[in-house]
Amino acid sequence: MNKKFKNIVRQIHLWLGLTTGLVVLIISIAGALYVFEEEIRAATQKDFRFVPLQQKPFAGLDQIITQFDKLAPKAKLKLIRITEQYPNATVELSTSKDEVYYFNPYTAALVSKRGLDWIEIDRKLHTSLLLGEPGEFIMRWSVVIFVLMLITGLLLWFPGRRRLLKQSLTIKRDASFKRLNYDLHNVLGFYAAVVLLITALSGLYFAFKEVKTAASFFTGTKLTPGKAIAGAKVDTIKSVAQRYNKLYREASLKYPGALSTSFSVRAKGELRLRMIYPYRWARNQNTFFFDEATGTPLRAKLYQDYNGADFIEATNFDLHTGKLFGVPHKILSFLASLIAASLPVTGFIIWWKKRRR
């Protein structure tokens, strides 16, 4: 590599790192913890996420929502999650004030009321630094910078001579602190670079429409919002509890076998019903959209109709969180995230030592 060009790359890498190092440190540690979110919840939250298994039918979403309305008459319902995979899993209802209610699926009785657990706080720290929209803005552009840092870091790592390749791939554990820190930054950064690039790019997919457009371009397909439901009748049921129960019951009968089902209130007055089915790679999920005020069907997106762009969208979450290839992928993502958290620290030490010299 040309020496002048390499100096320019080094300066870009340095100042981008100094600018976003603290953010990278925070989101990397938070991301590493979230990789094992399912396992942590299963191990620590059994007391309110499950009740004793019984040979009884589901109480009905209408009974659960009615009970919720009695307990929190002024609360605004934001999310409902039903886990059909485990009949004894409690039904989770979340409010706009981040209060979470867990109900017995057999009796509709309240099992527990809680605030956001630390895992959900960790997720919000990863996605917005707990700062809301300003934090999301900072996060989006910090990830863009992080991608540039990974690319410039790889350019700087690449040895100018073949005989130096082995040295560039090995950490000298018996070296001085300065040399050891340098190796930890360069060698570990190289080994984690591919995983981190994939993770960062999949994160940008959530943040920028342009990334989704690029993915659509490479697949030669367009991301579909779902097929409009023609001639849908306006639902005359006024009770929210009865309306949600009707929508859930009809969807379950028409598309049985879901592992989990969720209702969420979205922007523009839309109610989204999402049903996730057994899958290996891309999520098999059927998504239905309704008018939130009336329950009138608007459109439906079925996994059997996915094109290339839809497939990427359905795969992206598991790719980003390390779930796509099972436990080995989770371990790899966890280790790569820890390395990502170390890079601003070791990089800062390299810069500080040179600055003092």
Side-chain angles (χ1 to χ4, degrees), residues 167 170-176 179-180 183 187:
Q167 179 179 315
T170 308
I171 297 175
K172 294 182 178 180
R173 288 175 289 182
D174 57 348
S176 65
R179 178 66 196 192
L180 178 61
D183 284 349
V187 179

Side-chain angles (χ1 to χ4, degrees), residues 188-252:
L188 290 183
F190 169 75
Y191 284 127
V194 173
V195 176
L196 292 176
L197 273 172
I198 292 171
T199 303
L201 290 173
S202 61
L204 292 178
Y205 185 92
F206 294 120
F208 293 97
K209 292 188 296 183
E210 292 79 5
V211 178
K212 292 185 178 182
T213 302
S216 297
F217 173 79
F218 284 115
T219 62
T221 57
K222 289 185 177 181
L223 196 61
T224 57
K227 294 181 180 179
I229 300 175
K233 296 181 180 179
V234 176
D235 202 322
T236 57
I237 298 177
K238 294 184 179 180
S239 166
V240 173
Q242 292 178 0
R243 185 191 311 144
Y244 276 45
N245 187 63
K246 177 176 179 288
L247 296 177
Y248 174 64
R249 191 176 65 250
E250 289 178 349
S252 298

Side-chain angles (χ1 to χ4, degrees), residues 12-23:
I12 293 172
H13 186 79
L14 168 64
W15 291 108
L16 290 180
L18 291 175
T19 303
T20 62
L22 181 59
V23 176

